[in-house]
Each structure stands twice: as structure tokens, then as C-alpha cells.
Amino acid sequence: MASVGAIVVGTLLLGACGSSTGGSGSPSEVASQSAAAPGPVTIKYLHRLPDGEGMTKVAGIVKKWNSEHPDIQVEATKFPGKANELMPKLEADVKAGTAPCLVQSGYSEVPDMYVKGLVQDVTNEAEKYKDHFSGAYGQMSVGGKVVGLPQDTGPLMYVYNEAEFKKLGIGVPKTSHELLASAKKAAAKGKYLLGFEPDEAQNWLSAQAAAAGAVWYSSEGDKWKVETNGDKSKIVADFWQKALDDKSAITDARWSDAYTKDLVSGKLIGNIAPAWETGFMLDALDKTSYSGQWRVAQLPSFGGSNMTGPDGGSGVAVVKGCKYPAQAMQFNDWFNTQVNDLATQGLVPAAKGQVTTPTKMKKQFGGQDVMAELAKANEKLDSQFGYIPGFTAVGTKMNEKAADAASGKAKVGDIFQIAQGTSVQALKDAGLPVNG
């Protein structure tokens, strides 16, 4: 693990490293080059796309592939558990030899998967398809070794109820200061422009720090450097502490029934959200008076920065033990370039090409060309923000501390402080060199 970690530290970050080809001759690379197979092969793909009402189902997309590729048949399965339960499941399946060939993986999970030996190096195969994708291609690379292809990105946006904003005489906030002032004004009338999400602290708050210009993980000599609670991150911590102190934000967990009730009741009329939520976040409003009133806007500027940050987004990795990596990557490329089908799942596709706003999404957002707005955010995504092996453990501690902050038992700044200590320990536990 330490030797693998040395490779990781050499090239360092996922989002910042871009693409680079690995060395030749490794067993995984040799396997990835052997596209020939004796007769038809079956590729199993484990995903966690929402597959909700009005979306082009994954099964339907895969059916089209199977009809056109009789020699490479794909079986797609939706993972039934929570996102954080997928990694332990994959570890057990790889060990047992029952893992799928392809698995959907969040970009922040890729370093862990690589260090734990759960994915294959398919650099040579990936290079064939590199030009089909945006800068997110590098997010599936660790230490110069590409383990799959990108599927979507998750730039933070600001979503809001335009009609309710007009009733309150509030404009779309351009800066975090404007947002705070407007949130306080709205809260005085029982409306909320912000929701503090303790169960999403890991990616949601780190993405806001990235938007402010923070770089949490970088290199210092031949060691990792960790700075999760620097000045840029403190801009975000101060913003949310002020909102909580002023009681200008609701504090219900994002994936709770209470949060949905906040939306349906018209109590919550705005929030900071990742782009992928636009595909389903308004489903509960379809039969209410608030249907069609919401809009998508760019994330307000934090600390004068004109960037947004990465909250989520995922790729499809080739799992260790996959017998037909070349065929798996052929499907991987095809599937992830079906941009309009993927857009119906609420994704901002990582593949190049113009994306049509799905009918359902356009209706829910009052005719707005949502995908065009999300594409603008994609162009402003902070490319210097990446992750470390062990980021999952960091997130667990962040979410726990965020719950304390929501209840007043801790300060928001404590979330970033615990991320610092947990990050350093996670790297040490992985046998990686780190300053601090």
C-alpha cells in the first residue's frame, strides 16, 4: 500500500492532475490490450443512477447497446444501498471473485479504490476514448494510471423559487454577502433561502471551499500537504456560522423527509445544490402550486472568487478481476457518450457535445434551458481541487461534526478543523508520507 501511495503522491491530485499515460507492461495494461475473446462475453455494470420517473432508464440504454453488439452483452444492476455502502460491498465482492466488471464510482472515491486494489489500470484502453470527454477525464486518473472513464460532473449551483423571490422583493444573489442579507430578510417572513445540510457536509462544504479557492490537498516535496481549514475555507465556515446564528437557514438533513416537507410547504425557497440534483429535486413539487416556479443560477461568489466547486460527479471504473477490460471500456465509452439519455437522469455529462434539457426538467424549471446554465458552471469548475485516499473517513467525521453544528453543539469551523486532523491521520494510516 505504501508503494502504491508513493505513486499517488507523485502525481497527486485527481481533479488537478489532468491526463497522463502510465508505463507499459503492467499485468493490467496487458490485459486491457487483449480485446479478443472466445465468442460473446458478458459485462456486468453496477450503477447508482436515480432511474426515476420521466428518466430514460439505464436498462433501456443498455438494451440498445445489446441489440447492436451481440458479442458484448451488458447486464446493468442498480445498487440498492446508500452511496457510502457501495465501497464495502465492492471490497467483499472483489475478495470473493464475484465483483462486476464496471462500477459507478464518485470521483472522491477513486483514490481509495485505487489504493485498496479494487480497480484495474486501463490507461491504454482509456486513451482511445480520451478525446470524447472534457477535463473530467483526469478525475479517473490516479498517479498517471487511468482506471475508467468519467460520466458526469457536479458543479455547485444556486437553485431558487423565482416567484417567491419576487414576492419578497429579493433578487438572485451574486455574492455570498448578498445571499446572507437576503436570507435574513426572508427568514423574518418565514421563508428560507438556505438549507444547512449536515448529512452532505463532506462533498457539499468541501465544494464550497473549492469555490472560494481553497486547495485542501497538495504536495510539499515528496509528501502530502493538508490544508482544510485555511483562510479560503474559513470564508465558507464564517458564512454558514452567520446563517445559523441568525437562524436564516433550515438545518434538516438533505435526505430526510423533513427536507422534502420544507420544499413542499414552501418554507424552503432556495439553496446551494450540486448540478445533479436538478434532475429530481423538484419531483415532489409537481402537483403543488410551486410547480414550474424554480430556476437555476450560478453559485454566488465566495470571497470574490468566480469559481464553483465539485460536489459529487462520478465515473465508471473497471474493477479488478474483470476478464474483458477492453470490451468493458468499449461499452464504458459508448454509455457515457449517450449524453441526452444521461441528462434525463439529472446528470451534467462529462462527454463533449451539446446536451438538450430534458422535457421533465424544462417543465419543472419553468421552461428554463437548465443544461445550458449547468454547462456555464462546468466551465467555472475549480480544476485544482482534488481528493486523497481515505477521504471517505474524512467525510464521516465531517458529517458527524456538521450535525453538531446544526444543533448548536459545535461551530461550523470545527467541521473544517476535524477534516484537517482526520485527513492527516487517514494518510498516515494508508502508509503515505504527509506533513503535519
Side-chain angles (χ1 to χ4, degrees):
M1 184 175 287
S3 62
V4 173
I7 297 174
V8 176
V9 103
T11 325
L12 221 59
L13 301 177
L14 294 183
C17 73
S19 64
S20 59
T21 56
S24 61
S26 72
S28 54
E29 284 177 328
V30 171
S32 72
Q33 292 170 20
S34 57
V41 302
T42 299
I43 303 296
K44 293 185 178 181
Y45 166 42
L46 185 64
H47 73 89
R48 56 192 192 206
L49 294 175
D51 255 358
E53 187 70 28
M55 299 177 181
T56 300
K57 300 295 193 295
V58 172
I61 306 173
V62 170
K63 184 178 180 180
K64 181 181 178 182
W65 164 272
N66 285 339
S67 67
E68 297 174 355
H69 300 81
D71 291 336
I72 308 174
Q73 294 293 286
V74 175
E75 296 177 1
T77 303
K78 179 177 171 64
F79 181 65
K82 297 179 180 178
N84 62 2
E85 295 171 345
L86 178 57
M87 185 82 75
K89 167 69 172 170
L90 187 63
E91 286 187 70
D93 288 349
V94 167
K95 186 176 182 180
T98 59
C101 258
L102 295 169
V103 65
Q104 184 179 343
S105 54
Y107 295 134
S108 64
E109 298 169 326
V110 172
D112 272 340
M113 295 172 74
Y114 181 76
V115 170
K116 291 178 179 179
L118 303 180
V119 290
Q120 292 191 35
D121 168 16
V122 290
T123 302
N124 286 1
E125 291 298 328
E127 286 290 305
K128 299 176 183 178
Y129 310 114
K130 175 182 175 182
D131 292 342
H132 298 171
F133 299 92
S134 65
Y137 178 85
Q139 299 257 18
M140 295 302 290
S141 171
V142 184
K145 307 297 184 182
V146 184
V147 300
L149 294 173
Q151 185 169 91
D152 71 297
T153 61
L156 286 178
M157 312 292 298
Y158 186 72
V159 291
Y160 67 102
N161 185 313
E162 184 180 60
E164 291 295 312
F165 268 49
K166 287 181 179 178
K167 288 180 183 178
L168 293 170
I170 293 173
V172 182
K174 301 296 184 184
T175 69
S176 57
H177 294 297
E178 289 180 10
L179 180 52
L180 267 180
S182 295
K184 187 173 183 178
K185 179 180 177 180
K189 297 187 178 182
K191 299 287 184 178
Y192 293 86
L193 277 57
L194 289 169
F196 181 76
E197 304 175 0
D199 55 336
E200 278 291 304
Q202 174 183 15
N203 290 314
W204 189 66
L205 288 179
S206 64
Q208 291 174 51
V215 176
W216 280 16
Y217 307 116
S218 58
S219 61
E220 194 167 71
D222 60 351
K223 297 181 179 181
W224 285 95
K225 178 182 178 182
V226 178
E227 189 176 12
T228 71
N229 61 342
D231 291 342
K232 301 294 186 182
S233 296
K234 287 177 180 176
I235 292 172
V236 178
D238 291 345
F239 169 86
W240 283 107
Q241 192 60 58
K242 180 67 173 173
L244 293 177
D245 290 345
D246 288 346
K247 301 188 183 306
S248 298
I250 65 167
T251 57
D252 293 316
R254 174 62 185 90
W255 306 113
S256 66
D257 291 338
Y259 189 98
T260 302
K261 290 179 181 177
D262 293 334
L263 278 174
V264 175
S265 68
K267 181 180 179 180
L268 183 65
I269 61 172
N271 204 13
I272 294 171
W276 45 266
E277 281 196 28
T278 58
F280 59 85
M281 68 172 294
L282 301 183
D283 288 357
L285 300 182
D286 283 347
K287 296 181 180 180
T288 72
S289 59
Y290 302 111
S291 176
Q293 294 183 353
W294 284 67
R295 303 290 183 270
V296 178
Q298 298 301 305
L299 182 72
S301 169
F302 279 82
S305 168
N306 191 39
M307 295 187 293
T308 186
D311 180 345
S314 61
V316 179
V318 179
V319 180
K320 180 182 179 181
C322 177
K323 295 180 181 179
Y324 307 109
Q327 290 88 339
M329 283 294 285
Q330 188 179 340
F331 168 75
N332 199 354
D333 172 67
W334 180 89
F335 185 82
N336 288 317
T337 52
Q338 305 305 297
V339 293
N340 287 318
D341 286 339
L342 293 177
T344 70
Q345 294 273 349
L347 305 183
V348 184
K352 296 177 181 178
Q354 187 171 356
V355 184
T356 301
T357 298
T359 301
K360 170 195 164 187
M361 187 183 291
K362 201 162 189 177
K363 180 180 179 181
Q364 289 182 333
F365 284 91
Q368 183 182 14
D369 188 354
V370 176
M371 281 296 166
E373 197 67 28
L374 301 185
K376 292 178 185 177
N378 232 8
E379 294 174 1
K380 300 195 299 180
L381 199 57
D382 184 353
S383 63
Q384 298 303 308
F385 195 88
Y387 307 96
I388 59 168
F391 191 65
T392 301
V394 177
T396 298
K397 292 297 184 181
M398 287 179 66
N399 290 1
E400 291 173 356
K401 191 59 68 175
D404 289 340
S407 64
K409 297 178 182 177
K411 297 295 184 182
V412 178
D414 295 337
I415 303 169
F416 296 92
Q417 180 62 45
I418 202 166
Q420 178 75 23
T422 309
S423 295
V424 171
Q425 190 59 51
L427 289 167
K428 289 181 177 179
D429 289 346
L432 304 180
V434 56
N435 285 328

